[in-house]
Amino acid sequence: MKNAIKGFVLPYPIARSLRLGVIMAAMLLFACREAPQPPPTLAPDSTGESGGASDDATGAGSGGTTALAEDAWKIVQQRGRLIVGTSADYPPFAFYTEDFELDGYDIALAGLLGERLGVDVEFKDMAFDGLGGALLVGQIDAAIAAISITDQRREQVDFSTIYFAGEGAALAAAGSGIVINELADLAPYRVAVQEGTVHETWLQEEAVDTGLLPPDNLLVYVAADKAVADLRAGLVDVVVADKLPLEFAARDESLAIVGQGLNRQRFAVALARGSTLLSPVNEALFDLQSEGELARLAEQFLDLDTTEVQPLPEPEATPEASESVRSSNVCIDAMTLIAHLAFDDDGMRSPPPVSPGTPFQKTWRIQNNGTCTWTTGYVLTPVGGNVPQAGMGGAATPIREPVAPGETYDITVNLVSPLVAGVYQGFWSMRSPAGLLFGDRLWVGITVPAQPTPTPPATATVSPSIDFRADRTAIRAGECVIFSWNAGNASDAFFYAQGQQPDLNRVAVAGSQTECPPVTTTYELRVVMGNGTTETRTIRIDVQPSPAAPFFESFSVTPSHQIAVGQCVDVRWRISGDVTTIRVTRNETTLWNGAPLSGTSRDCPPAGEAAYSIVATGPGGDSRALQNVTVLSATPGSGTPTATPAGPLPIINNLAVNPNRIFAGTCLTVSWSVSGSVNRVQLRRDGVLVLDFAVFSGNVTDCLTNEGNYVYRLDATNAQGNAVFQQVSATVVR
Ligand code: ARG
């Protein structure tokens, strides 16, 4: 079976030309490199060590691309440390233990390599897609992440000798009856695959491009472990990846391998092209193999006994860069974590405490150590965590001002701590406008302490005749709570929020009241007894702020404006943030309800106007993207209708009302900011246009006299007519 593999530096289906561009950029870098030096001998007696993901952010080399021009092995020796990039979403090769330590075959292998080379090892956990770029700019010395050798990748990086030989496989729910013997067997299923891997490229080229698999059946995931989680949740039918990680996922027997031997894989250590580390790394690998260390690792982590480990074939020659690709100036994306500026968790050794349901802001200082300037199309996006709640309501957060190569930037994300006690670690990654994930994987770690169980008032002073209750004690902002009380034969009662004056809030001794606190609030019932003594009962209502609405990272319909009957369009999207459902529609017809975060849907509309829309709904509100296509009826005459390409989408950075709960007769402020390709900004209140061609970033004051709920909606449209919108609501009470 042909095994054409791209990806790794750039994921499919991000423009092929762009991928070529990065390859070209790599060649440009290598073109100014000195000839490789013979490797110096190993440092005699220092010992290596492997540790958790490093949070000290000293990059490999002296920063940026300069490292490539130098002797990498010499630099590593001088530094006394080998900086290894990995992607810890792939047990048993690389993953986090429950104690947030990196572990796995690749991690142990790197430790052994460090030992043999006489240097320490520092790990940088990155998105798989970003490893190639990190090597290109010298941010890491080596990448070890179950990386398969491919010819395309060889044009960008050097590979060591092979350290493991395996195969691709398919995983499905146990008892599903699915059997995959050949690619065509995948056709009826929703197939999940990891972005930038050989498996993605293979399925795209061999199954989708050949027509075996409908494009909307290929679902591309950023993280391998998320694809498996969605298989467990029944959102996809099959996951295609390397066999051992899939077998690892199937250990609980709810999932099963349903196809194997799909495509052969040989894993190797990746190095920058021409790196002088190649010989010492190969020597160390040779020793590790001949001394049986690799077999021991396989036994320990891969559950393979030594006889099962496949013999390692000889490495092949490295092809030379072709002359034609040496003369481009396409840039490379890379990012290094400099420091955790807020909520530092000391490498997950001490995740700071945050009370349940509390909003907080995490800030990292990061450096652009690639060669592209970051524009507002670059976002920091959540990519998973130790548990699903570790996303903490965070949404993709754009870079707000240009960051030139070499510059540092402080980026802040808005989060809300989960309501349940525990330790949470959420991961974030940079994403370029082209969709490439790159750079160090950032994380935020917190501890949500167990809340003391509400102590009933001391029995001695409690009069059993007072009953004070709330129908619930934890809500999201905007929701309401019903309090009710009965103070028996008390003479007076007051109900109020802590901080308010009891006297102004006299109530009947038996009654109820609805409250919609926008933030966590403690309510009190003060009861005055017949004998003049008072008693106070409290109930605390925990309010989780509403997270932001889902965020469209991309949306396109191609062809975007006009087609003839019988022709089809591809709707593509990528959405991030806190999303519950995604619905794709054409006019009133639902094309896909419960669609994945990123996907493609092909539709062949009847004549007339076809309005394609995607509505992403989440606890923070709705976001919608729209595109109209005119479908010309039969016999369009000669020539095919022109397809205007969809332009880059506007980005709504934020839309907020403040406060979101006011008294009738008072005012609130609606503020917004949009960036990217924006042509027109419109603000509507309850469907009525209140501002047209508004400024890209601004605010208006709105004074409301009638009680009720008001919905503010911001539409941002680009020059091609592609629109995105977000909405927020506010409540006016008496
Ligand atoms: N072996 C496959 C590849 O090289 C997948 C590797 C994915 N690795 C990971 N750490 N997620 O494309």
Side-chain angles (χ1 to χ4, degrees):
M1 207 173 295
K2 186 172 150 243
N3 187 10
I5 291 154
K6 290 175 184 154
F8 174 54
V9 165
L10 276 183
Y12 197 93
I14 311 310
R16 286 153 190 257
S17 56
L18 197 89
R19 180 183 306 117
L20 185 66
V22 170
I23 295 168
M24 292 174 179
M27 295 312 146
L28 188 76
L29 286 172
F30 292 131
C32 50
R33 168 193 88 214
E34 286 170 16
Q37 303 291 311
T41 46
L42 300 189
D45 58 8
S46 46
T47 48
E49 83 176 18
S50 62
S54 162
D55 54 342
D56 116 52
T58 42
S62 40
T65 54
T66 51
L68 284 176
E70 296 167 39
D71 180 336
W73 175 217
K74 204 162 121 201
I75 291 171
V76 167
Q77 284 177 304
Q78 281 165 356
R79 197 199 295 130
R81 200 157 28 105
L82 179 74
I83 301 181
V84 175
T86 192
S87 191
D89 59 358
Y90 220 51
F93 286 99
F95 58 97
Y96 284 95
T97 64
E98 285 185 357
D99 299 327
F100 308 100
E101 297 284 342
L102 283 176
D103 200 5
Y105 182 105
D106 285 343
I107 305 302
L109 173 64
L112 289 178
L113 282 178
E115 231 168 68
R116 298 299 162 117
L117 298 178
V119 292
D120 289 349
V121 174
E122 173 188 332
F123 289 100
K124 282 180 172 285
D125 178 27
M126 310 183 120
F128 184 73
D129 271 343
L131 291 169
L135 280 174
L136 290 181
V137 298
Q139 184 181 359
I140 54 176
D141 303 310
I144 309 184
I147 301 169
S148 303
I149 299 179
T150 73
D151 287 346
Q152 281 83 357
R153 288 175 180 171
R154 271 194 200 287
E155 290 172 7
Q156 305 160 50
V157 298
D158 277 356
F159 282 110
S160 71
T161 52
I162 295 150
Y163 69 79
F164 180 77
E167 58 187 285
L171 184 73
S176 64
I178 298 176
V179 180
I180 309 298
N181 287 322
E182 52 182 27
L183 272 176
D185 295 336
L186 288 170
Y189 302 117
R190 294 168 296 178
V191 184
V193 76
Q194 186 182 16
E195 191 171 47
T197 62
V198 296
H199 310 289
E200 183 202 4
T201 317
W202 179 62
L203 288 178
Q204 178 67 39
E205 295 184 346
E206 304 293 314
V208 175
D209 293 352
T210 57
L212 287 176
L213 184 70
D216 15 341
N217 279 15
L218 184 63
L219 306 174
V220 180
Y221 284 82
V222 169
D225 43 8
K226 178 76 170 82
V228 172
D230 276 7
L231 175 64
R232 288 189 199 284
L235 297 171
V236 299
D237 305 309
V238 178
V239 177
V240 173
D242 291 307
K243 185 174 153 198
L244 289 181
L246 296 182
E247 279 182 345
F248 190 92
R251 287 189 315 181
D252 70 357
E253 295 183 357
S254 65
L255 304 176
I257 301 287
V258 296
Q260 48 190 309
L262 292 176
N263 49 13
R264 299 242 144 241
Q265 304 300 329
R266 297 161 308 145
F267 298 168
V269 179
L271 303 165
R273 277 208 76 187
S275 168
T276 52
L277 272 164
L278 186 61
S279 302
V281 165
N282 278 345
E283 278 171 31
L285 276 176
F286 180 83
D287 290 348
L288 289 173
Q289 198 193 344
S290 35
E291 292 162 26
E293 291 285 358
L294 292 190
R296 270 190 286 280
L297 285 188
E299 236 174 301
Q300 182 184 349
F301 291 101
L302 310 181
D303 248 350
L304 298 177
D305 79 37
T306 39
T307 55
E308 285 178 272
V309 179
Q310 309 193 22
L312 304 180
E314 282 307 305
E316 294 140 29
T318 306
E320 277 309 309
S322 69
E323 205 49 52
S324 62
V325 295
R326 281 183 197 265
S327 54
S328 160
N329 53 2
V330 176
C331 63
I332 300 165
D333 283 315
M335 176 270 270
T336 298
L337 169 65
I338 302 293
H340 292 255
L341 294 187
F343 289 89
D344 190 358
D345 50 55
D346 188 21
M348 287 309 283
R349 282 177 286 273
S350 51
V354 181
S355 314
T358 309
F360 68 102
Q361 293 189 318
K362 171 76 188 187
T363 306
W364 298 273
R365 176 159 298 161
I366 57 180
Q367 183 177 25
N368 178 351
N369 61 335
T371 61
C372 314
T373 294
W374 297 345
T375 56
T376 49
Y378 284 73
V379 295
L380 184 67
T381 189
V383 292
N386 62 331
V387 290
Q389 296 81 349
M392 301 189 236
T397 305
I399 296 288
R400 297 197 180 272
E401 61 205 46
V403 182
E407 284 180 1
T408 58
Y409 181 75
D410 296 345
I411 188 155
T412 299
V413 298
N414 293 318
L415 302 171
V416 180
S417 59
L419 289 176
V420 177
V423 177
Y424 297 88
Q425 184 182 31
F427 292 108
W428 292 71
S429 184
M430 284 293 290
R431 185 192 287 279
S432 71
L436 169 70
L437 290 173
F438 66 93
D440 286 344
R441 211 191 301 258
L442 307 184
W443 73 92
V444 45
I446 60 161
T447 306
V448 174
Q451 287 300 99
T453 30
T455 34
T459 40
T461 59
V462 168
S463 134
S465 61
I466 300 178
D467 179 26
F468 177 44
R469 60 181 74 201
D471 68 337
R472 50 204 182 136
T473 56
I475 58 169
R476 277 189 186 275
E479 295 176 343
C480 303
V481 179
I482 303 169
F483 291 89
S484 54
W485 59 89
N486 188 343
N489 43 20
S491 63
D492 227 345
F494 303 89
F495 172 72
Y496 52 91
Q498 259 176 14
Q500 291 179 337
Q501 275 183 280
D503 303 356
L504 301 178
N505 295 281
R506 171 174 284 122
V507 291
V509 293
S512 73
Q513 193 161 317
T514 302
E515 290 291 322
C516 317
V519 294
T520 296
T521 308
T522 301
Y523 290 88
E524 296 189 346
L525 180 75
R526 179 172 297 181
V527 174
V528 183
M529 295 309 196
N531 61 7
T533 60
T534 63
E535 245 181 66
T536 304
R537 300 292 176 81
T538 64
I539 295 180
R540 176 180 135 140
I541 306 298
D542 286 306
V543 181
Q544 188 175 18
S546 290
F551 175 86
F552 270 88
E553 292 185 29
S554 62
F555 169 69
S556 67
V557 178
T558 28
S560 66
H561 281 98
Q562 218 177 57
I563 57 170
V565 157
Q567 285 193 308
C568 305
V569 297
D570 281 323
V571 185
R572 282 177 214 279
W573 64 92
R574 182 186 294 281
I575 299 165
S576 54
D578 202 346
V579 188
T580 3
T581 57
I582 294 174
R583 195 154 70 102
V584 186
T585 54
R586 183 213 328 119
N587 303 333
E588 301 311 311
T589 312
T590 297
L591 301 177
W592 193 349
N593 201 3
L597 287 174
S598 79
T600 308
S601 178
R602 173 158 295 184
D603 184 53
C604 314
E609 283 300 314
Y612 289 94
S613 98
I614 297 190
V615 184
T617 308
D622 294 348
S623 289
R624 183 184 301 235
L626 287 170
Q627 174 69 46
N628 290 315
V629 177
T630 304
V631 188
L632 303 172
S633 40
T635 60
S638 57
T640 38
T642 45
T644 322
L649 274 191
I651 296 169
I652 299 182
N653 302 320
N654 78 291
L655 170 67
V657 280
N658 215 334
N660 63 2
R661 200 177 155 75
I662 57 168
F663 287 105
T666 63
C667 307
L668 51 72
T669 303
V670 184
S671 56
W672 66 90
S673 126
V674 302
S675 58
S677 310
V678 192
N679 202 33
R680 180 177 189 178
V681 176
Q682 295 165 304
L683 181 71
R684 289 182 171 78
R685 188 184 71 205
D686 288 341
V688 178
L689 191 63
V690 287
L691 281 179
D692 202 356
F693 293 100
V695 290
F696 289 4
S697 169
N699 58 68
V700 283
T701 302
D702 198 12
C703 302
L704 297 159
T705 44
N706 297 327
E707 57 186 310
N709 205 44
Y710 293 80
V711 175
Y712 293 90
R713 164 177 160 162
L714 190 80
D715 284 77
T717 313
N718 68 11
Q720 291 76 24
N722 307 94
V724 292
F725 85 62
Q726 265 185 30
Q727 46 189 39
V728 290
S729 61
T731 310
V732 179
V733 294
R734 234 198 264 281

